[in-house]
Amino acid sequence: MKGKVYLVGAGPGDPELLTVKAFKALKIADVVLHDELISPGILALVPKTAQLRGVGKRGGRKNIRQEEINALLVQFALLGMQVVRLKGGDPMIFGRAGEEIEVLRRAGIEVEVIPGVTAALGAAASVQIPLTHRDISSAVLVVTGHSSEAGPDNWPGHISPGTTVVVYMPGYSYENTARRLMAAGLKESTPCAIISQATTADKQVYRTTLDALPRVPRLPAPALLVAGEVVRFADHYALQQQFSWAAEPSGKATLQFLAQAGSQEQSE
Amino acid sequence: MKGKVYLVGAGPGDPELLTVKAFKALKIADVVLHDELISPGILALVPKTAQLRGVGKRGGRKNIRQEEINALLVQFALLGMQVVRLKGGDPMIFGRAGEEIEVLRRAGIEVEVIPGVTAALGAAASVQIPLTHRDISSAVLVVTGHSSEAGPDNWPGHISPGTTVVVYMPGYSYENTARRLMAAGLKESTPCAIISQATTADKQVYRTTLDALPRVPRLPAPALLVAGEVVRFADHYALQQQFSWAAEPSGKATLQFLAQAGSQEQSE
C-alpha cells in the first residue's frame, strides 16, 4: 500500500505555533524531510523511530535540487511510509509546494496540505505590528527577495499606497531592496522593520525607514522585512532585545541599542 | 492585579488548525470575546467555567461597535481576568487588532498576540492551490471586499502580473469585484476560485474565470476569492463537494455539480 505525503507548515519558529494538526502529523511520521532553518525545538518533536532528513537548499547540503526532493517524496511514499515534508511557515507561500504536489499527483500518491502560520504573521504578532489598519493600510503584499521560486526580478513594478509590503528572505542587499521598493512607489520615509528569528528566544528587530535601510546590519536568517506605515505601531515592550534606528531631525540615523528586559522606556 | 489580554487567531475553521499556543490560551481564559463565524468546534474548547461572549459585528449583534469591544477588553482585564479576544484567521490581518492593542496599551494592560493560520492559507491548503509558484506567481496580494477596517475603495489601483490576489470577505457584489480587479490589470481569463468555509466539513468551492465571476452563486460566509493563474493547480480530488463553472467556448458558463465523494473523475 502506498503511503501518504503531508506537506506541513512548521510555522514561524516557536514550536507552540505549530497547529495541532501539524503536531499530530509529526507524531505519526515514518520519515520527515525538512527545510533548513526549522527550529530545533520543532525537530525535537519528531519521534526517535522516524527518519529525519534535512533537505534544505542552503547551508550544509547546498547541492540538493528540487528534483531530488521530489524523487525522495515519491520513493518514501511508494515504500508505504507516512511522509512529512516540513516547511518553514506555510507550505503554500514560497515553499515550492506546487511542484511537489504536481509530482506526487502524477505518481498517484495522496497528498494532504497542513497549513501553517506564515512568517509574516509570526513576525507581526511578535512585534505587534498590525499588517492592516483602518485608514492606514488596507492591503498586504507578500514578495520574496531570494528564492529559487521567485527572485526580485519578478517584483511588482507598482505598489499602491496603503499597502503593507512584506519581503520574505530579504537577504542582505538592502540597498537593492530599498531601491526596488521606492521605484515601485513607496516613500523614502516609509517605516520598515527587519525581524529576525521572530517568535524565538533569539528574536532581533531593527526599525528604520526605507531610505536608511542600506545601513541596517545583517541579522541572522530566517528574517523578513516589513515596510509600511503600520510599522509605527510596533511595540517596543514586546521585544526582548531591539536595535532601533531613530531618525534624527537632521535626517541622520542614530543606532540605539535598547536592552528591553524590564525596561519601560519608550524608544521614540 | 490587572489581567492580560490575548489576541488570538482562531485559524480558518478546523479546530485542529488552532496553534498549540492558541489552544492553551483558550484553556486558561476567564472570558472569551469572539468574532462571529468562529466555528462551533473551536468555541466548544472554551472551558465551561469561562464566560463566552460573541462580539461579532454582523449577524445577531449587529450594533456592537469597535469602541464597545475595546471597552469590554479593558474592563475585563482591569477586573484581573485572563481575556482571550478570539478572531477568525489571524488577528493582524483585517482583524482591527491594531485599534484594540492601542487602547489596551494606553490602559497599561499587557497584550500578547497569538498568530493564527489566516484564511488564505487555510483555503489554499484545503483546495491545494499554491499561492506562489515558480514562473507563474511570485507575489501574493491580500485585500478585503467588505470590512469596517478597509473597504474596496482602498483597493490597489494597479496589480502587477504574476501576483496572486486573495480577496477576504468578498461579499456578493462579484460584478463589482471582477470589474475592480480587471481595472487593476487582471486579465478577463484569470482563473478564480470562491472558497467557502474552507477546512470545515461544509467546504464549498466554485471555480470560474474573472469575466464569469458575476454569475457565481452565493456561497455561505466565511468565504474568500483567489484570483490568479495558480488557481489552475487546484485539486478537485481534495474537495468533498465542489461546484465548478466550466467556461464554454461560447463564453457561457455551465454549472457543474461534482459530488466528489469517491469520484476519481477529473472535472476538466
Side-chain angles (χ1 to χ4, degrees):
Chain A
M1 217 183 83
K2 284 177 192 170
K4 180 173 166 180
V5 176
Y6 299 82
L7 302 184
V8 177
D14 179 351
E16 292 213 331
L17 293 178
L18 277 171
T19 65
V20 175
K21 203 165 202 168
F23 188 86
K24 285 185 175 175
L26 287 178
K27 290 301 180 194
I28 60 150
D30 296 312
V31 57
V32 176
L33 302 177
H34 66 88
D35 279 356
E36 218 201 350
L37 301 178
I38 301 289
S39 70
I42 290 172
L43 296 181
L45 297 172
V46 176
K48 292 212 175 3
T49 50
Q51 275 190 57
L52 188 64
R53 291 182 68 149
V55 292
K57 272 161 263 162
R58 291 178 295 184
R61 300 171 61 87
K62 276 188 217 305
N63 50 0
I64 192 158
R65 289 176 304 122
Q66 185 60 45
E67 291 69 23
E68 292 176 64
I69 298 174
N70 297 348
L72 282 172
L73 292 172
V74 170
Q75 199 177 304
F76 284 123
L78 290 180
L79 287 169
M81 298 170 94
Q82 301 298 94
V83 186
V84 166
R85 174 74 179 97
L86 190 64
K87 293 165 182 285
D90 178 84
M92 297 308 225
I93 298 226
F94 303 124
R96 299 190 69 165
E99 293 162 68
E100 294 175 4
I101 291 170
E102 229 178 316
V103 168
L104 291 163
R105 279 186 201 159
R106 246 186 269 128
I109 293 161
E110 193 187 350
V111 186
E112 181 175 341
V113 182
I114 302 181
V117 173
T118 190
L121 304 180
S126 77
V127 191
Q128 299 195 358
I129 296 174
L131 295 176
T132 61
H133 196 289
R134 193 160 59 139
D135 305 329
I136 294 171
S137 166
S138 55
V140 181
L141 179 71
V142 178
V143 295
T144 179
H146 284 274
S147 159
S148 45
E149 182 163 329
D153 289 344
N154 298 317
W155 277 27
H158 177 80
I159 297 168
S160 296
T163 301
T164 300
V165 183
V166 184
V167 183
Y168 280 44
M169 296 169 276
Y172 298 121
S173 32
Y174 293 141
E175 194 164 345
N176 215 359
T177 302
R179 199 172 42 234
R180 280 170 183 280
L181 290 175
M182 292 191 282
L186 268 68
K187 286 189 288 188
E188 291 187 356
S189 60
T190 306
C192 298
I194 302 269
I195 304 159
S196 162
Q197 295 171 297
T199 81
T200 76
D202 300 319
K203 177 177 71 174
Q204 289 182 53
V205 182
Y206 241 97
R207 281 270 305 273
T208 184
T209 50
L210 203 49
D211 56 350
L213 192 63
R215 292 192 292 277
V216 170
R218 297 177 167 217
L219 299 190
L224 57 71
L225 168 71
V226 183
E229 294 300 325
V230 290
V231 170
R232 289 194 273 118
F233 293 95
D235 180 26
H236 300 282
Y237 306 151
L239 309 177
Q240 278 226 313
Q241 200 186 49
Q242 167 164 339
F243 295 85
S244 167
W245 289 96
E248 284 174 0
S250 71
K252 278 187 196 159
T254 310
L255 178 61
Q256 292 182 311
F257 174 72
L258 306 171
Q260 288 274 329
S263 157
Q264 285 299 305
E265 208 179 290
Q266 190 124 16
S267 76
E268 47 177 11
Chain B
M1 219 183 81
K2 282 176 193 170
K4 180 173 166 180
V5 175
Y6 299 83
L7 301 184
V8 177
D14 179 350
E16 292 213 331
L17 292 178
L18 276 171
T19 66
V20 175
K21 203 165 203 167
F23 188 86
K24 286 186 175 176
L26 287 178
K27 290 301 180 193
I28 61 151
D30 296 312
V31 57
V32 176
L33 303 177
H34 67 88
D35 280 356
E36 218 199 353
L37 300 179
I38 301 290
S39 70
I42 290 171
L43 296 180
L45 297 172
V46 176
K48 293 215 174 0
T49 50
Q51 275 190 57
L52 187 63
R53 290 181 69 148
V55 293
K57 272 162 262 160
R58 291 178 294 184
R61 298 170 62 88
K62 277 188 217 302
N63 50 0
I64 193 160
R65 289 176 305 122
Q66 185 59 47
E67 291 70 22
E68 292 175 65
I69 298 173
N70 298 348
L72 281 173
L73 292 172
V74 170
Q75 198 177 305
F76 283 123
L78 290 180
L79 287 170
M81 297 170 96
Q82 301 298 94
V83 186
V84 167
R85 174 74 180 97
L86 190 63
K87 292 164 183 287
D90 177 84
M92 298 309 224
I93 297 223
F94 302 123
R96 298 190 71 163
E99 294 163 67
E100 294 176 4
I101 290 170
E102 229 179 315
V103 167
L104 291 163
R105 279 185 199 159
R106 247 187 267 128
I109 293 161
E110 193 187 349
V111 185
E112 181 175 342
V113 181
I114 301 181
V117 173
T118 191
L121 304 180
S126 77
V127 190
Q128 299 196 358
I129 297 174
L131 295 177
T132 62
H133 196 287
R134 194 160 58 139
D135 306 327
I136 294 172
S137 166
S138 55
V140 182
L141 178 70
V142 178
V143 296
T144 179
H146 284 275
S147 159
S148 45
E149 183 162 330
D153 290 343
N154 298 317
W155 276 28
H158 178 81
I159 297 167
S160 296
T163 301
T164 300
V165 183
V166 184
V167 183
Y168 280 43
M169 294 169 277
Y172 298 121
S173 31
Y174 294 140
E175 195 165 344
N176 215 1
T177 302
R179 200 172 41 233
R180 281 170 183 279
L181 290 175
M182 291 191 281
L186 268 68
K187 284 190 289 189
E188 290 187 357
S189 60
T190 306
C192 300
I194 302 269
I195 305 159
S196 161
Q197 298 171 295
T199 81
T200 75
D202 299 319
K203 177 177 70 172
Q204 288 183 54
V205 182
Y206 241 98
R207 282 269 306 273
T208 183
T209 50
L210 203 48
D211 56 349
L213 192 62
R215 292 191 292 277
V216 171
R218 298 177 165 217
L219 299 190
L224 56 71
L225 168 71
V226 182
E229 293 301 324
V230 290
V231 171
R232 288 194 273 118
F233 294 94
D235 179 26
H236 300 281
Y237 305 152
L239 309 177
Q240 278 227 315
Q241 199 185 51
Q242 168 166 341
F243 294 85
S244 167
W245 289 95
E248 284 174 1
S250 69
K252 277 187 198 159
T254 309
L255 178 63
Q256 291 184 310
F257 174 74
L258 305 171
Q260 288 275 330
S263 157
Q264 285 299 306
E265 210 180 290
Q266 190 126 15
S267 76
E268 49 179 7

